[in-house]
Coordinates of all heavy atoms in Angstrom, one line a residue:
M21 N 0.9 -1.2 0.0 CA 0.0 0.0 0.0 C 0.8 1.2 0.0 O 1.9 1.3 0.7 CB -0.9 0.0 1.2 CG -1.9 1.1 1.3 SD -3.1 1.0 2.5 CE -4.4 0.3 1.7
S22 N 0.6 2.2 -0.8 CA 1.3 3.5 -0.9 C 0.9 4.5 0.2 O -0.2 4.6 0.6 CB 1.1 4.1 -2.3 OG 1.7 5.3 -2.4
D23 N 1.9 5.3 0.6 CA 1.6 6.4 1.5 C 1.1 7.6 0.8 O 0.6 8.6 1.5 CB 2.9 6.8 2.2 CG 3.4 5.7 3.2 OD1 2.6 4.9 3.6 OD2 4.6 5.6 3.5
K24 N 1.1 7.6 -0.5 CA 0.7 8.9 -1.2 C -0.9 8.8 -1.3 O -1.5 7.8 -1.5 CB 1.2 8.9 -2.7 CG 2.7 9.0 -2.7 CD 3.2 9.0 -4.2 CE 4.7 9.1 -4.2 NZ 5.2 9.1 -5.5
P25 N -1.6 10.0 -1.2 CA -3.0 10.0 -1.4 C -3.3 9.6 -2.8 O -2.7 9.7 -3.7 CB -3.3 11.5 -1.2 CG -2.1 12.1 -0.6 CD -1.0 11.3 -0.9
A26 N -4.6 9.0 -2.9 CA -5.1 8.6 -4.2 C -5.0 9.7 -5.2 O -5.4 10.8 -4.9 CB -6.5 8.1 -4.0
G27 N -4.6 9.5 -6.4 CA -4.5 10.4 -7.5 C -3.3 11.3 -7.4 O -3.2 12.2 -8.3
T28 N -2.4 11.1 -6.5 CA -1.2 11.9 -6.4 C -0.2 11.3 -7.4 O 0.0 10.1 -7.4 CB -0.6 11.9 -5.1 OG1 -1.5 12.5 -4.2 CG2 0.7 12.7 -5.0
M29 N 0.5 12.1 -8.2 CA 1.4 11.7 -9.2 C 2.7 12.5 -9.0 O 2.7 13.6 -8.7 CB 1.0 12.0 -10.6 CG 1.9 11.6 -11.6 SD 1.2 12.0 -13.3 CE 1.0 13.7 -13.3
Q30 N 3.9 11.8 -9.1 CA 5.2 12.5 -8.9 C 5.6 12.8 -10.3 O 5.7 12.0 -11.2 CB 6.2 11.6 -8.3 CG 7.6 12.3 -8.1 CD 8.5 11.5 -7.3 OE1 8.3 10.3 -7.0 NE2 9.6 12.0 -7.0
L31 N 5.8 14.1 -10.6 CA 6.2 14.6 -11.9 C 7.7 14.6 -12.1 O 8.4 15.0 -11.2 CB 5.8 16.1 -12.0 CG 6.0 16.8 -13.4 CD1 5.3 16.1 -14.5 CD2 5.6 18.2 -13.3
Q32 N 8.1 14.0 -13.1 CA 9.5 13.9 -13.4 C 9.8 14.8 -14.6 O 9.2 14.8 -15.6 CB 9.9 12.5 -13.9 CG 9.8 11.5 -12.8 CD 10.3 10.1 -13.2 OE1 10.7 9.9 -14.3 NE2 10.2 9.1 -12.3
I33 N 10.8 15.8 -14.3 CA 11.1 16.9 -15.3 C 12.4 16.7 -15.8 O 13.3 16.4 -15.1 CB 11.0 18.3 -14.6 CG1 9.6 18.5 -14.0 CG2 11.5 19.4 -15.5 CD1 9.5 19.7 -13.1
S34 N 12.5 16.7 -17.1 CA 13.9 16.6 -17.8 C 14.2 17.9 -18.5 O 13.3 18.8 -18.7 CB 13.8 15.5 -18.8 OG 12.9 15.8 -19.9
M35 N 15.5 18.1 -18.8 CA 16.0 19.2 -19.4 C 17.2 18.9 -20.4 O 18.0 18.2 -20.0 CB 16.5 20.2 -18.3 CG 16.9 21.6 -18.8 SD 17.5 22.7 -17.5 CE 16.5 22.3 -16.2
D36 N 17.1 19.5 -21.6 CA 18.2 19.2 -22.6 C 19.4 20.0 -22.2 O 19.3 20.9 -21.3 CB 17.7 19.4 -24.0 CG 17.4 20.8 -24.3 OD1 18.1 21.8 -23.9 OD2 16.3 21.0 -24.9
D37 N 20.5 19.7 -22.6 CA 21.8 20.4 -22.3 C 21.8 21.8 -22.6 O 22.2 22.7 -21.8 CB 23.0 19.7 -23.0 CG 23.3 18.3 -22.5 OD1 22.8 18.0 -21.3 OD2 24.0 17.6 -23.1
E38 N 21.2 22.2 -23.7 CA 21.2 23.7 -24.2 C 20.4 24.5 -23.1 O 20.8 25.5 -22.7 CB 20.7 23.8 -25.5 CG 20.6 25.3 -26.0 CD 20.2 25.5 -27.4 OE1 20.0 24.4 -28.1 OE2 20.0 26.6 -27.8
T39 N 19.2 24.0 -22.8 CA 18.4 24.6 -21.8 C 19.0 24.7 -20.5 O 18.9 25.7 -19.7 CB 17.0 23.9 -21.7 OG1 16.4 23.9 -23.0 CG2 16.0 24.6 -20.8
A40 N 19.7 23.7 -20.0 CA 20.4 23.6 -18.8 C 21.5 24.7 -18.6 O 21.8 25.2 -17.5 CB 21.0 22.2 -18.5
Q41 N 22.0 25.1 -19.7 CA 23.1 26.2 -19.8 C 22.5 27.5 -19.4 O 23.1 28.4 -18.8 CB 23.7 26.3 -21.1 CG 24.6 25.1 -21.5 CD 25.7 24.9 -20.5 OE1 26.5 25.8 -20.1 NE2 25.9 23.7 -20.1
G42 N 21.2 27.8 -19.6 CA 20.5 29.0 -19.3 C 21.0 30.1 -20.2 O 21.8 30.0 -21.1
S43 N 20.3 31.2 -20.1 CA 20.6 32.4 -20.8 C 20.6 33.6 -19.8 O 19.6 33.8 -19.1 CB 19.5 32.7 -21.8 OG 19.5 31.7 -22.9
Y44 N 21.6 34.4 -20.0 CA 21.7 35.6 -19.2 C 20.8 36.7 -19.8 O 20.9 36.9 -21.0 CB 23.1 36.2 -19.1 CG 23.2 37.4 -18.3 CD1 23.1 37.4 -17.0 CD2 23.2 38.7 -19.0 CE1 23.2 38.6 -16.2 CE2 23.3 39.9 -18.2 CZ 23.3 39.8 -16.9 OH 23.3 41.0 -16.2
V45 N 19.9 37.3 -19.0 CA 19.1 38.4 -19.5 C 19.2 39.6 -18.5 O 19.5 39.4 -17.3 CB 17.6 38.0 -19.7 CG1 17.5 36.9 -20.7 CG2 17.0 37.6 -18.3
N46 N 19.1 40.8 -19.0 CA 19.2 42.0 -18.1 C 18.0 42.9 -18.3 O 18.0 44.1 -17.9 CB 20.5 42.7 -18.3 CG 20.8 43.1 -19.7 OD1 20.0 42.9 -20.6 ND2 22.0 43.4 -19.9
M47 N 17.0 42.5 -19.0 CA 15.7 43.2 -19.2 C 14.6 42.2 -19.5 O 14.8 41.2 -19.9 CB 15.9 44.1 -20.4 CG 14.7 45.1 -20.5 SD 15.0 46.3 -21.8 CE 14.1 45.5 -23.1
A48 N 13.4 42.6 -19.1 CA 12.2 41.9 -19.4 C 11.0 42.7 -19.6 O 11.0 43.9 -19.2 CB 11.9 40.9 -18.2
T49 N 10.1 42.3 -20.5 CA 8.9 43.0 -20.7 C 7.8 42.0 -20.5 O 7.9 40.8 -20.6 CB 8.8 43.5 -22.2 OG1 8.8 42.4 -23.1 CG2 9.9 44.5 -22.5
V50 N 6.6 42.6 -20.0 CA 5.5 41.8 -19.8 C 4.2 42.5 -20.5 O 4.0 43.7 -20.3 CB 5.1 41.8 -18.2 CG1 3.9 40.9 -17.9 CG2 6.4 41.2 -17.5
T51 N 3.6 41.7 -21.3 CA 2.4 42.2 -21.9 C 1.3 41.1 -21.7 O 1.6 40.0 -21.2 CB 2.5 42.3 -23.4 OG1 3.0 41.1 -24.0 CG2 3.6 43.5 -23.7
H52 N 0.1 41.5 -21.9 CA -1.1 40.5 -21.6 C -2.3 40.8 -22.5 O -2.4 41.9 -23.0 CB -1.4 40.6 -20.1 CG -2.1 41.9 -19.7 ND1 -1.3 43.0 -19.3 CD2 -3.3 42.3 -19.6 CE1 -2.1 44.0 -19.0 NE2 -3.3 43.7 -19.2
T53 N -3.1 39.8 -22.6 CA -4.4 39.8 -23.1 C -5.3 39.5 -22.1 O -4.9 39.2 -20.9 CB -4.6 38.9 -24.4 OG1 -4.4 37.6 -23.9 CG2 -3.5 39.2 -25.4
E54 N -6.6 39.3 -22.4 CA -7.6 38.9 -21.3 C -7.3 37.4 -20.8 O -7.5 37.1 -19.6 CB -8.9 38.9 -21.9 CG -10.0 38.5 -20.9 CD -11.4 38.6 -21.5 OE1 -11.6 39.1 -22.6 OE2 -12.4 38.0 -20.8
T55 N -6.6 36.6 -21.7 CA -6.5 35.2 -21.4 C -5.0 34.7 -21.1 O -4.9 33.6 -20.6 CB -7.1 34.3 -22.5 OG1 -6.3 34.6 -23.7 CG2 -8.6 34.5 -22.6
E56 N -4.1 35.6 -21.4 CA -2.6 35.2 -21.2 C -1.7 36.3 -21.0 O -1.9 37.4 -21.4 CB -2.2 34.2 -22.4 CG -2.2 34.9 -23.7 CD -2.1 33.9 -24.9 OE1 -2.3 32.7 -24.7 OE2 -1.9 34.4 -25.9
F57 N -0.6 36.0 -20.4 CA 0.5 36.9 -20.2 C 1.7 36.4 -21.0 O 1.9 35.3 -21.2 CB 0.9 36.9 -18.7 CG 0.1 37.8 -17.8 CD1 -1.1 37.4 -17.3 CD2 0.6 39.1 -17.5 CE1 -1.9 38.2 -16.6 CE2 -0.2 39.9 -16.7 CZ -1.4 39.4 -16.2
V58 N 2.5 37.4 -21.6 CA 3.6 37.1 -22.3 C 4.8 37.8 -21.7 O 4.8 38.9 -21.5 CB 3.5 37.6 -23.9 CG1 4.7 37.3 -24.6 CG2 2.3 37.0 -24.5
L59 N 5.8 37.0 -21.3 CA 7.0 37.5 -20.7 C 8.1 37.3 -21.7 O 8.5 36.2 -22.1 CB 7.3 36.7 -19.4 CG 6.4 36.9 -18.3 CD1 5.2 35.9 -18.5 CD2 7.0 36.6 -17.0
D60 N 8.7 38.4 -22.1 CA 9.9 38.4 -23.0 C 11.2 38.7 -22.2 O 11.2 39.7 -21.5 CB 9.8 39.4 -24.1 CG 8.8 38.9 -25.2 OD1 8.7 37.7 -25.4 OD2 8.2 39.8 -25.8
F61 N 12.2 37.8 -22.2 CA 13.4 38.0 -21.5 C 14.5 38.4 -22.5 O 14.7 37.7 -23.5 CB 13.8 36.8 -20.7 CG 12.8 36.4 -19.7 CD1 11.8 35.5 -19.9 CD2 12.9 37.0 -18.4 CE1 10.8 35.2 -19.0 CE2 11.9 36.6 -17.4 CZ 10.8 35.7 -17.8
I62 N 15.1 39.5 -22.3 CA 15.9 40.2 -23.3 C 17.3 40.4 -22.8 O 17.5 40.7 -21.6 CB 15.3 41.6 -23.6 CG1 13.9 41.3 -24.2 CG2 16.1 42.3 -24.6 CD1 13.0 42.6 -24.0
Y63 N 18.3 40.4 -23.7 CA 19.7 40.7 -23.3 C 20.0 42.0 -24.1 O 19.9 42.0 -25.4 CB 20.7 39.6 -23.7 CG 22.1 40.0 -23.5 CD1 22.6 40.3 -22.2 CD2 23.0 40.0 -24.5 CE1 23.9 40.8 -22.1 CE2 24.3 40.5 -24.3 CZ 24.7 40.8 -23.1 OH 26.0 41.2 -22.9
V64 N 20.3 43.0 -23.4 CA 20.8 44.3 -23.9 C 22.3 44.4 -23.7 O 22.8 44.4 -22.6 CB 20.1 45.5 -23.2 CG1 20.5 46.8 -23.9 CG2 18.6 45.3 -23.3
Q65 N 23.0 44.5 -24.8 CA 24.4 44.7 -24.8 C 24.8 46.2 -24.5 O 24.1 47.0 -25.1 CB 25.2 44.3 -26.0 CG 25.1 42.8 -26.3 CD 25.9 42.4 -27.5 OE1 26.5 43.3 -28.2 NE2 25.9 41.2 -27.8
P66 N 25.7 46.5 -23.6 CA 26.0 47.9 -23.4 C 26.4 48.6 -24.6 O 27.1 48.1 -25.5 CB 27.3 47.9 -22.5 CG 27.2 46.5 -21.9 CD 26.6 45.6 -22.9
Q67 N 26.0 49.9 -24.7 CA 26.3 50.8 -25.9 C 25.8 50.3 -27.2 O 26.3 50.7 -28.2 CB 27.8 51.1 -25.9 CG 28.4 51.5 -24.6 CD 27.7 52.8 -24.1 OE1 27.6 53.7 -24.9 NE2 27.5 52.9 -22.8
Q68 N 24.8 49.4 -27.3 CA 24.2 48.9 -28.5 C 22.9 49.3 -28.7 O 22.1 49.3 -27.7 CB 24.3 47.3 -28.6 CG 25.8 46.7 -28.5 CD 26.5 47.1 -29.8 OE1 26.0 47.1 -30.9 NE2 27.8 47.6 -29.5
P69 N 22.4 49.7 -29.9 CA 21.1 50.2 -30.1 C 20.1 49.1 -30.3 O 18.9 49.4 -30.4 CB 21.2 51.1 -31.4 CG 22.4 50.4 -32.1 CD 23.3 49.9 -31.0
R70 N 20.5 47.9 -30.4 CA 19.5 46.7 -30.6 C 19.7 45.7 -29.5 O 20.8 45.6 -28.9 CB 19.8 46.1 -32.0 CG 19.5 47.1 -33.1 CD 19.7 46.4 -34.4 NE 18.6 45.5 -34.6 CZ 18.3 44.9 -35.7 NH1 19.0 45.1 -36.8 NH2 17.3 44.0 -35.7
A71 N 18.6 45.1 -29.2 CA 18.6 44.0 -28.2 C 17.9 42.7 -28.8 O 17.1 42.9 -29.8 CB 17.9 44.4 -26.9
R72 N 18.1 41.6 -28.1 CA 17.6 40.4 -28.7 C 16.8 39.7 -27.5 O 17.3 39.5 -26.4 CB 18.7 39.4 -29.1 CG 18.1 38.1 -29.6 CD 19.2 37.3 -30.2 NE 19.8 37.7 -31.5 CZ 19.2 37.5 -32.7 NH1 18.2 36.8 -32.8 NH2 19.8 38.0 -33.8
V73 N 15.5 39.2 -27.9 CA 14.8 38.4 -27.0 C 15.4 37.0 -26.9 O 15.6 36.4 -27.9 CB 13.3 38.3 -27.4 CG1 12.6 37.3 -26.6 CG2 12.7 39.6 -27.4
R74 N 15.9 36.6 -25.7 CA 16.5 35.3 -25.5 C 15.4 34.2 -25.3 O 15.7 33.1 -25.6 CB 17.4 35.4 -24.4 CG 18.6 36.2 -24.6 CD 19.8 35.5 -25.2 NE 20.9 36.3 -25.5 CZ 22.0 36.4 -24.9 NH1 22.2 35.6 -23.7 NH2 23.0 37.1 -25.2
S75 N 14.3 34.6 -24.6 CA 13.2 33.6 -24.4 C 12.0 34.3 -24.2 O 11.8 35.4 -23.8 CB 13.6 32.9 -23.0 OG 12.7 32.0 -22.7
R76 N 10.9 33.6 -24.6 CA 9.5 34.1 -24.5 C 8.7 33.0 -23.8 O 8.7 31.9 -24.1 CB 8.9 34.4 -25.8 CG 7.4 34.8 -25.7 CD 6.8 35.2 -27.0 NE 7.1 36.6 -27.1 CZ 6.6 37.4 -28.1 NH1 6.0 36.9 -29.1 NH2 6.9 38.7 -28.1
V77 N 8.0 33.5 -22.7 CA 7.1 32.5 -22.0 C 5.7 33.1 -22.0 O 5.5 34.2 -21.8 CB 7.6 32.4 -20.5 CG1 6.6 31.7 -19.6 CG2 9.0 31.9 -20.4
I78 N 4.8 32.2 -22.5 CA 3.4 32.6 -22.5 C 2.7 31.7 -21.5 O 2.8 30.5 -21.5 CB 2.9 32.3 -23.9 CG1 3.7 33.1 -25.0 CG2 1.4 32.6 -24.0 CD1 3.4 32.7 -26.4
T79 N 1.9 32.4 -20.6 CA 1.3 31.6 -19.6 C -0.1 32.2 -19.2 O -0.4 33.3 -19.6 CB 2.2 31.6 -18.3 OG1 1.7 30.6 -17.4 CG2 2.3 32.9 -17.6
S80 N -0.8 31.5 -18.4 CA -2.2 31.9 -18.0 C -2.1 32.9 -16.8 O -1.2 32.9 -16.1 CB -3.0 30.7 -17.6 OG -2.5 30.2 -16.3
P81 N -3.1 33.7 -16.6 CA -3.1 34.7 -15.4 C -3.0 34.0 -14.1 O -2.3 34.3 -13.3 CB -4.4 35.4 -15.6 CG -4.8 35.4 -17.0 CD -4.2 34.0 -17.5
R82 N -3.6 32.8 -14.0 CA -3.7 32.0 -12.7 C -2.2 31.5 -12.5 O -1.7 31.6 -11.4 CB -4.6 30.9 -12.7 CG -6.1 31.3 -12.8 CD -7.0 30.3 -12.8 NE -6.9 29.5 -11.5 CZ -7.8 28.7 -11.1 NH1 -8.9 28.4 -11.8 NH2 -7.6 28.0 -9.9
H83 N -1.6 31.0 -13.6 CA -0.2 30.5 -13.3 C 0.8 31.6 -13.1 O 1.7 31.5 -12.2 CB 0.3 29.7 -14.6 CG 1.7 29.1 -14.4 ND1 1.9 28.1 -13.6 CD2 2.8 29.5 -14.8 CE1 3.2 27.8 -13.5 NE2 3.8 28.7 -14.4
L84 N 0.6 32.7 -13.7 CA 1.5 33.9 -13.5 C 1.4 34.4 -12.0 O 2.3 34.7 -11.4 CB 1.1 35.1 -14.4 CG 2.0 36.3 -14.2 CD1 3.3 36.0 -15.0 CD2 1.4 37.6 -14.7
K85 N 0.2 34.3 -11.5 CA 0.0 34.7 -10.1 C 0.7 33.8 -9.2 O 1.4 34.2 -8.2 CB -1.5 34.8 -9.7 CG -1.8 35.5 -8.4 CD -3.1 35.9 -8.3 CE -3.2 37.0 -7.2 NZ -4.5 37.6 -7.1
R86 N 0.7 32.4 -9.4 CA 1.4 31.5 -8.6 C 3.0 31.7 -8.8 O 3.7 31.6 -7.8 CB 1.1 30.1 -9.0 CG -0.3 29.7 -8.5 CD -0.6 28.2 -8.7 NE -0.3 27.7 -10.1 CZ -1.3 27.7 -11.1 NH1 -2.5 28.1 -10.8 NH2 -1.0 27.1 -12.2
L87 N 3.4 32.0 -10.0 CA 4.8 32.2 -10.3 C 5.3 33.5 -9.5 O 6.3 33.5 -9.0 CB 5.0 32.3 -11.8 CG 6.4 32.7 -12.3 CD1 7.5 31.7 -11.8 CD2 6.4 33.0 -13.8
L88 N 4.5 34.5 -9.6 CA 4.8 35.7 -8.9 C 5.0 35.5 -7.4 O 5.9 36.0 -6.8 CB 3.8 36.8 -9.2 CG 4.0 38.2 -8.5 CD1 5.3 38.8 -8.8 CD2 2.8 39.1 -8.8
A89 N 4.1 34.8 -6.8 CA 4.2 34.4 -5.4 C 5.5 33.6 -5.0 O 6.1 33.9 -4.1 CB 3.0 33.7 -4.9
A90 N 5.8 32.7 -5.9 CA 7.0 31.8 -5.7 C 8.2 32.7 -5.8 O 9.1 32.6 -5.1 CB 7.0 30.7 -6.8
M91 N 8.2 33.6 -6.7 CA 9.4 34.5 -7.0 C 9.5 35.5 -5.8 O 10.7 35.7 -5.3 CB 9.3 35.3 -8.2 CG 9.4 34.5 -9.5 SD 9.1 35.3 -11.0 CE 10.4 36.4 -11.1
Q92 N 8.4 36.0 -5.3 CA 8.5 36.9 -4.1 C 9.0 36.1 -2.9 O 9.8 36.6 -2.1 CB 7.1 37.5 -3.8 CG 6.7 38.5 -4.8 CD 5.3 39.0 -4.6 OE1 4.4 38.3 -4.2 NE2 5.1 40.3 -4.8
D93 N 8.6 34.9 -2.7 CA 9.0 34.1 -1.5 C 10.5 33.8 -1.7 O 11.2 33.9 -0.7 CB 8.2 32.8 -1.6 CG 8.7 31.9 -0.4 OD1 8.6 32.2 0.7 OD2 9.1 30.8 -0.7
S94 N 11.0 33.5 -2.9 CA 12.4 33.1 -3.1 C 13.2 34.4 -2.9 O 14.3 34.3 -2.2 CB 12.6 32.6 -4.5 OG 13.9 32.2 -4.7
L95 N 12.8 35.6 -3.3 CA 13.6 36.8 -3.1 C 13.6 37.1 -1.6 O 14.6 37.5 -1.1 CB 12.9 37.9 -3.9 CG 13.6 39.3 -3.7 CD1 15.1 39.2 -4.2 CD2 12.9 40.4 -4.4
H96 N 12.5 36.9 -0.9 CA 12.5 37.1 0.6 C 13.5 36.3 1.3 O 14.3 36.8 2.1 CB 11.1 36.9 1.1 CG 11.0 37.0 2.6 ND1 11.0 38.3 3.2 CD2 10.9 36.1 3.5 CE1 10.9 38.0 4.5 NE2 10.8 36.7 4.7
R97 N 13.5 35.0 0.9 CA 14.5 34.1 1.5 C 15.9 34.5 1.2 O 16.8 34.4 2.0 CB 14.2 32.6 1.1 CG 13.0 32.1 1.9 CD 12.7 30.6 1.6 NE 12.1 30.5 0.3 CZ 12.6 29.7 -0.7 NH1 13.7 29.1 -0.6 NH2 11.9 29.7 -1.9
Y98 N 16.2 34.9 -0.1 CA 17.5 35.3 -0.5 C 17.9 36.6 0.3 O 19.0 36.6 0.8 CB 17.4 35.7 -2.0 CG 18.7 36.3 -2.5 CD1 19.7 35.5 -3.1 CD2 19.0 37.7 -2.4 CE1 20.8 36.0 -3.6 CE2 20.2 38.2 -2.9 CZ 21.1 37.4 -3.5 OH 22.3 37.9 -4.0
E99 N 17.0 37.5 0.5 CA 17.4 38.7 1.2 C 17.6 38.4 2.7 O 18.5 39.1 3.3 CB 16.3 39.8 1.1 CG 16.3 40.4 -0.4 CD 15.3 41.5 -0.6 OE1 14.1 41.4 0.0 OE2 15.5 42.4 -1.3
Q100 N 16.9 37.5 3.2 CA 17.2 37.1 4.6 C 18.6 36.5 4.8 O 19.2 36.8 5.8 CB 16.1 36.0 5.1 CG 14.8 36.6 5.4 CD 13.9 35.6 6.0 OE1 13.8 34.4 5.5 NE2 13.0 35.9 6.9
R101 N 19.0 35.8 3.8 CA 20.4 35.2 3.9 C 21.5 36.2 3.4 O 22.6 36.1 4.1 CB 20.4 34.0 2.9 CG 21.7 33.2 3.1 CD 21.6 31.9 2.4 NE 22.8 31.2 2.5 CZ 23.0 29.9 2.0 NH1 22.0 29.3 1.5 NH2 24.2 29.4 2.2
Y102 N 21.2 36.9 2.3 CA 22.3 37.7 1.8 C 22.2 39.3 2.0 O 23.1 40.0 1.6 CB 22.5 37.4 0.3 CG 22.8 36.0 0.1 CD1 21.9 35.1 -0.5 CD2 24.1 35.5 0.4 CE1 22.2 33.8 -0.7 CE2 24.4 34.1 0.2 CZ 23.4 33.3 -0.4 OH 23.7 31.9 -0.7
G103 N 21.1 39.7 2.4 CA 20.8 41.2 2.5 C 19.9 41.6 1.5 O 19.6 41.0 0.5
V104 N 19.4 42.8 1.7 CA 18.4 43.5 0.8 C 19.0 43.8 -0.5 O 20.1 44.3 -0.6 CB 17.8 44.7 1.6 CG1 16.8 45.4 0.6 CG2 17.1 44.4 2.8
V105 N 18.2 43.5 -1.5 CA 18.6 43.8 -2.9 C 17.9 45.2 -3.2 O 16.7 45.3 -3.1 CB 18.1 42.8 -3.9 CG1 18.4 43.2 -5.3 CG2 18.7 41.4 -3.6
E106 N 18.7 46.2 -3.5 CA 18.2 47.4 -3.9 C 17.6 47.4 -5.3 O 18.3 46.9 -6.3 CB 19.3 48.6 -3.8 CG 19.8 48.7 -2.4 CD 18.7 49.2 -1.4 OE1 17.8 49.9 -1.8 OE2 18.8 48.8 -0.2
A107 N 16.5 48.0 -5.6 CA 15.9 48.0 -6.9 C 16.8 49.0 -7.7 O 17.2 50.0 -7.3 CB 14.5 48.5 -6.9
A108 N 17.0 48.6 -9.0 CA 17.7 49.5 -9.9 C 16.9 50.7 -10.2 O 15.7 50.7 -10.4 CB 18.1 48.8 -11.2
S109 N 17.6 51.9 -10.2 CA 16.9 53.1 -10.6 C 16.8 53.1 -12.1 O 17.7 52.7 -12.8 CB 17.7 54.3 -10.1 OG 18.9 54.4 -10.6
A110 N 15.7 53.7 -12.6 CA 15.5 53.8 -14.0 C 16.3 54.9 -14.6 O 16.3 56.0 -14.1 CB 14.1 54.0 -14.3
G111 N 17.1 54.6 -15.7 CA 17.9 55.7 -16.4 C 17.3 55.8 -17.8 O 16.3 55.2 -18.2
P112 N 18.0 56.7 -18.6 CA 17.4 56.9 -19.9 C 17.5 55.6 -20.7 O 16.8 55.5 -21.7 CB 18.3 57.9 -20.4 CG 19.6 57.9 -19.6 CD 19.1 57.4 -18.2
D113 N 18.4 54.7 -20.5 CA 18.5 53.5 -21.2 C 17.8 52.3 -20.6 O 18.0 51.2 -21.1 CB 20.0 53.1 -21.5 CG 20.8 54.2 -22.3 OD1 20.1 54.8 -23.1 OD2 21.9 54.3 -22.0
T114 N 17.0 52.5 -19.5 CA 16.3 51.4 -19.0 C 14.8 51.4 -19.2 O 14.1 52.2 -18.8 CB 16.5 51.6 -17.4 OG1 17.8 51.8 -17.1 CG2 15.9 50.4 -16.7
P115 N 14.4 50.5 -20.2 CA 13.0 50.4 -20.5 C 12.2 49.9 -19.2 O 12.6 49.1 -18.5 CB 12.9 49.3 -21.6 CG 14.3 49.3 -22.2 CD 15.2 49.7 -21.0
L116 N 11.0 50.5 -19.1 CA 10.2 50.2 -17.9 C 9.1 49.3 -18.2 O 8.3 49.0 -17.4 CB 9.7 51.5 -17.3 CG 10.8 52.4 -16.7 CD1 10.0 53.7 -16.2 CD2 11.5 51.8 -15.6
N117 N 9.0 48.9 -19.5 CA 8.0 48.0 -19.9 C 7.0 48.6 -20.8 O 6.2 49.3 -20.7 CB 7.2 47.3 -18.8 CG 6.4 46.1 -19.2 OD1 6.7 45.5 -20.3 ND2 5.4 45.8 -18.5

């Protein structure tokens, strides 16, 4: 007999090598429609007039809310361990979305 409640499934997640390397980004934009949010993660090179979207994530409003809560919790734990992260001030080259 299993200790897991009926209907519980353990999800196994895999990742290819390229995805595991990750992508550095230093800007993001968020847009939405009534049914979904689009998050574009962008790398802006210093002193360059163009930037490239490295990744786009499209998700539902409900999932975005859970993701936001998880990110806030993770940042809170990070700041407890390493100190407060100051928000970057917006400059002329800093898109605000």
Side-chain angles (χ1 to χ4, degrees):
M21 183 174 264
S22 173
D23 291 337
K24 295 181 183 179
T28 300
M29 175 180 64
Q30 184 174 6
L31 181 64
Q32 294 184 359
I33 300 171
S34 65
M35 185 179 323
D36 62 51
D37 292 340
E38 184 178 348
T39 301
Q41 293 299 312
S43 293
Y44 178 78
V45 298
N46 53 10
M47 188 176 99
T49 62
V50 180
T51 56
H52 66 276
T53 66
E54 181 180 349
T55 58
E56 59 195 16
F57 278 80
V58 178
L59 294 82
D60 285 331
F61 297 94
I62 303 160
Y63 175 61
V64 180
Q65 292 184 4
Q67 309 300 319
Q68 296 295 315
R70 298 184 66 169
R72 178 175 293 273
V73 173
R74 295 265 175 109
S75 181
R76 171 174 276 185
V77 174
I78 304 168
T79 191
S80 70
R82 291 180 69 166
H83 182 72
L84 183 79
K85 193 159 195 171
R86 289 190 305 269
L87 176 61
L88 180 59
M91 291 172 69
Q92 287 174 323
D93 179 61
S94 185
L95 179 60
H96 176 74
R97 287 184 280 118
Y98 176 93
E99 289 181 326
Q100 284 182 323
R101 184 171 183 176
Y102 300 108
V104 175
V105 175
E106 297 297 326
S109 60
D113 296 329
T114 307
L116 296 176
N117 193 22

